[in-house]
Amino acid sequence: MEPRLVGPGPYRATRLWNETVELFRNGMPLRKHRFHFKSYEGCFTASEAVEWLHKLLRRNQNFSPEVTRAQTVQLLKKFLKNHVIEDIKGRWGKDDFEDNGKLYRFPPFSPLKPYPKRSPYRKEVVKFPNWDFEKITFQEHIPVKPITLNSEMWFKRHSIAIGEVPACKLIHRRQLKEANVEDIWKSRTSSYLQKTLGLDSLNDILDTKLVNPKDIIQNVYSVNKQGTVILEDKSKEVPHWVLSAMKCLANWPRCPDLKQPTYSGFERDVFRTIADYYAHMKEPLLTFQFFDVFVSVLGILQEKKLATEALQICCLLLPPANRRKLQLLMTLMAKIQSNKDLPPLSDTLGTRAMMVQTFSHCILCSKDEVDLDELLAAKLVSFMMDNYHEILNIPSALKTAVEEHIAHLRRVQIKYPESDIDAILPVPSFCHQISTDEFEHQKTNCRQGPLANLLEEITMNMEMSIKEKKKRLKRFQKSYPDVYKERFPTPESEAVLFPEKSKQKPLLTWAFKRPFQPFQRTRSLRM
């Protein structure tokens, strides 16, 4: 059974666990062993399991070639605790697995973890910052009943098409409140993360209620020249003695703050001081609540640019204090790795492997600690060490999109009286599923009906002059020829509206009121 890549998505840690368990059960060589003068069939020693699983994890693309033998032993301890393996007498549940010659075997059943079941039509309420209503969306695309508009609404919306151009005026949009701006940042950040990961929804890997938009805004704008977050609450700052230790090790052997003479192994003690501080934090830097999100990013690490963009957005979700500590630690790890003058920090491990093993657990781990958190954290930390500068930068595309959207909402607009979309359209309160045929039928009929009613109103309006009526009907015919032809299929049906006047001139009745009298010369006034 060949290892396969487990991509991003919900329950990735569970899928990786089941994948590793299956590979181990199907591939681990079993043979006959002798223990305490007794032979046992179909079993293996602890050292054999460590050796075989270590090779499997190192060449598995879901993990990292930097997986150590000690980490493999820790994973086998979890296998024993979760009854993936048992000792030769059928005992399990204790973390007493060691790299020795003790015999183990597989239980008769496969202890794979089940996946939580979710409803396919899970509703999600999304608040829009510039509107006063809520919109319900679904995980699947379904036809929705369109909004039916009456003839009066269509008359208002299509007033220009039938010849009326109402007066307009410039108005300012309402002033955005701080809560509106926060909603925009939260909504856009979630949308960009979902798009980058290629998921239909973030519901199964992230509880959006736990996302604090104020943290995102502070992580974007409250930074110094180096891009490191500036904390408003100084009590959450990294202690001064830790910062001094980090400066000392990052600039070794040229330490500007170091005034005391050093001794052999001094740099190792400084490293342990830093490691102890990070190891005693209450939760990892990437927090328990964002564990599934960062694990999902591991599924796209083979696409460096895409993974870097996803991690940029994920790190914006962190509390500012966590992001600052992560920035300082990643900068230190990168400088230590590139510092050729620094002596080895371990006698058994290289400097890079030593740092990954030391800081992985304080950067990323699950709350229950029964998954592959140590191996996943090692892979993530290795990737972040190599790309820390890009990952801890502000995602420029997201920042530009949010700022342009906020500027658009604050920009002036042209408003026509009684033609604003909010005044015309009824506020949608809910949607429900209908068939595709019904949707197509309503899409056509709901458009034709109001237009036909509008045409009838123009036709039956007795107060409108004939000239004005002809003008409007001509414009209506040009804009909506199908609706017009259905009402007036022939020229004769249209001519009924405008009956021809009689061409015979009226008689001059005034000429018959008195008899015709010839012209008579007036009598001369001369005497």
Side-chain angles (χ1 to χ4, degrees):
M1 183 177 179
E2 291 295 329
R4 59 178 180 270
L5 179 64
V6 178
Y11 321 119
R12 186 174 186 274
T14 304
R15 288 186 283 134
L16 277 174
W17 173 273
N18 291 340
E19 169 81 5
T20 308
V21 169
E22 287 184 344
L23 290 172
F24 184 52
R25 284 178 61 92
N26 296 331
M28 178 66 201
L30 305 177
R31 61 187 181 89
K32 182 179 178 179
H33 286 82
R34 189 173 181 82
F35 185 71
H36 287 174
F37 306 102
K38 188 175 181 181
S39 297
Y40 297 93
E41 298 286 346
C43 57
F44 52 87
T45 65
S47 297
E48 291 173 347
V50 173
E51 184 69 26
W52 189 90
L53 185 58
H54 186 212
K55 292 180 180 179
L56 172 69
L57 296 175
R58 286 173 60 85
R59 68 172 183 266
N60 192 326
Q61 54 186 338
N62 292 308
F63 303 102
S64 171
E66 298 176 353
V67 175
T68 63
R69 191 177 180 91
Q71 290 173 331
T72 307
V73 173
Q74 293 297 323
L75 178 58
L76 285 167
K77 286 185 178 181
K78 294 182 180 181
F79 279 178
L80 181 61
K81 183 178 180 180
N82 290 273
H83 206 188
V84 176
I85 59 176
E86 61 185 15
D87 68 10
I88 203 64
K89 296 183 179 180
R91 294 173 298 190
W92 59 277
K94 296 182 180 180
D95 292 339
D96 57 353
F97 185 93
E98 296 180 3
D99 191 354
N100 54 25
K102 189 175 181 180
L103 296 181
Y104 292 90
R105 67 187 181 188
F106 292 117
F109 56 88
S110 178
L112 299 182
K113 291 187 177 182
Y115 299 102
K117 294 183 179 180
R118 299 287 183 111
S119 173
Y121 296 102
R122 182 181 177 186
K123 296 181 180 179
E124 177 187 1
V125 178
V126 181
K127 287 189 176 182
F128 290 82
N130 54 329
W131 296 323
D132 294 328
F133 62 88
E134 293 182 346
K135 176 184 177 183
I136 295 181
T137 59
F138 296 87
Q139 289 185 349
E140 297 182 0
H141 299 287
I142 55 176
V144 178
K145 280 189 175 181
I147 302 171
T148 303
L149 305 179
N150 56 34
S151 58
E152 182 180 0
M153 296 175 183
W154 275 98
F155 183 84
K156 291 177 179 179
R157 295 191 66 181
H158 295 267
S159 58
I160 297 178
I162 61 177
E164 284 191 0
V165 181
C168 61
K169 61 179 180 179
L170 289 177
I171 64 170
H172 290 273
R173 293 187 185 265
R174 67 175 186 174
Q175 186 176 5
L176 291 179
K177 299 179 181 179
E178 183 179 355
N180 301 134
V181 176
E182 292 175 358
D183 288 340
I184 295 174
W185 269 104
K186 182 176 180 178
S187 175
R188 287 299 180 98
T189 304
S190 301
S191 299
Y192 267 65
L193 180 59
Q194 178 180 333
K195 181 180 178 181
T196 306
L197 293 177
L199 302 177
D200 296 331
S201 173
L202 296 176
N203 293 334
D204 293 324
I205 64 173
L206 175 64
D207 186 357
T208 54
K209 295 180 181 178
L210 301 177
V211 177
N212 189 350
K214 293 183 179 180
D215 292 344
I216 300 176
I217 296 175
Q218 184 175 351
N219 289 334
V220 172
Y221 294 106
S222 298
V223 295
N224 58 20
K225 294 181 180 180
Q226 291 75 31
T228 307
V229 179
I230 300 175
L231 299 182
E232 298 176 356
D233 187 358
K234 298 303 179 182
S235 63
K236 298 181 180 180
E237 184 62 84
V238 178
H240 177 72
W241 56 271
V242 177
L243 289 176
S244 298
M246 297 176 79
K247 283 183 180 180
C248 175
L249 210 57
N251 299 296
W252 186 272
R254 296 171 295 277
C255 308
D257 297 336
L258 187 60
K259 299 180 181 180
Q260 299 295 332
T262 59
Y263 53 86
S264 178
F266 176 79
E267 67 283 347
R268 295 190 181 188
D269 289 343
V270 175
F271 180 79
R272 280 193 290 268
T273 300
I274 301 171
D276 288 342
Y277 169 76
Y278 279 94
H280 285 83
M281 294 186 301
K282 295 182 179 179
E283 65 173 353
L285 293 176
L286 303 185
T287 72
F288 293 133
Q289 64 192 29
F290 297 136
F291 174 78
D292 291 332
V293 182
F294 282 97
V295 169
S296 294
V297 178
L298 291 174
I300 57 174
L301 285 189
Q302 68 277 7
E303 303 179 34
K304 179 180 176 181
K305 182 178 180 182
L306 198 62
T308 302
E309 293 177 358
L311 287 174
Q312 279 183 342
I313 301 173
C314 290
C315 290
L316 282 184
L317 306 179
L318 299 175
N322 290 43
R323 181 177 171 89
R324 178 174 174 81
K325 292 176 183 178
L326 180 65
Q327 288 174 317
L328 295 175
L329 180 59
M330 281 296 161
T331 304
L332 173 67
M333 295 172 69
K335 288 186 176 182
I336 290 178
Q337 182 179 349
S338 60
N339 189 353
K340 298 180 180 180
D341 297 330
L342 185 67
L345 299 175
S346 173
D347 296 331
T348 57
L349 296 175
T351 301
R352 179 185 175 90
M354 177 66 179
M355 289 190 296
V356 171
Q357 181 175 329
T358 302
F359 295 113
S360 292
H361 192 266
C362 65
I363 292 178
L364 178 70
C365 70
S366 59
K367 195 171 185 178
D368 48 15
E369 295 189 2
V370 297
D371 294 316
L372 306 172
D373 48 2
E374 292 185 5
L375 301 179
L376 299 177
K379 185 176 183 180
L380 181 65
V381 172
S382 297
F383 183 84
M384 294 182 71
M385 282 179 58
D386 298 333
N387 306 277
Y388 81 101
H389 185 69
E390 294 84 0
I391 291 173
L392 295 176
N393 272 344
I394 308 300
S396 56
L398 173 61
K399 182 180 178 182
T400 302
V402 174
E403 290 177 347
E404 289 180 352
H405 182 63
I406 294 175
H408 170 71
L409 294 178
R410 290 172 173 167
R411 195 175 298 135
V412 297
Q413 62 174 341
I414 300 176
K415 185 174 183 180
Y416 296 94
E418 300 183 356
S419 64
D420 188 72
I421 190 65
D422 293 329
I424 296 175
L425 293 178
V427 176
S429 57
F430 66 93
C431 350
H432 59 89
Q433 187 175 7
I434 62 175
S435 64
T436 305
D437 296 337
E438 185 179 357
F439 174 76
E440 295 296 334
H441 175 73
Q442 291 185 8
K443 184 175 70 172
T444 304
N445 291 350
C446 290
R447 178 178 179 272
Q448 300 288 347
L451 285 173
N453 295 336
L454 179 61
L455 178 60
E456 196 65 26
E457 284 187 6
I458 299 175
T459 303
M460 303 304 296
N461 193 340
M462 304 303 297
E463 298 179 357
M464 192 181 302
S465 65
I466 295 177
K467 182 178 179 181
E468 181 67 19
K469 185 180 294 187
K470 285 184 177 181
K471 184 178 179 181
R472 294 195 179 188
L473 288 175
K474 185 175 181 181
R475 294 197 176 201
F476 192 98
Q477 182 183 14
K478 184 177 180 180
S479 302
Y480 310 104
D482 296 337
V483 180
Y484 191 87
K485 187 175 182 180
E486 185 177 354
R487 174 63 177 83
F488 302 108
T490 61
E492 290 77 11
S493 60
E494 182 181 5
V496 175
L497 292 177
F498 309 105
E500 295 184 0
K501 298 180 180 179
S502 176
K503 295 182 180 180
Q504 184 179 1
K505 293 183 180 181
L507 296 176
L508 301 177
T509 55
W510 59 271
F512 298 95
K513 291 183 180 180
R514 56 181 179 175
F516 178 76
Q517 295 181 359
F519 177 76
Q520 295 180 359
R521 183 184 296 272
T522 56
R523 184 177 296 180
S524 176
L525 298 177
R526 184 180 299 175
M527 296 300 296

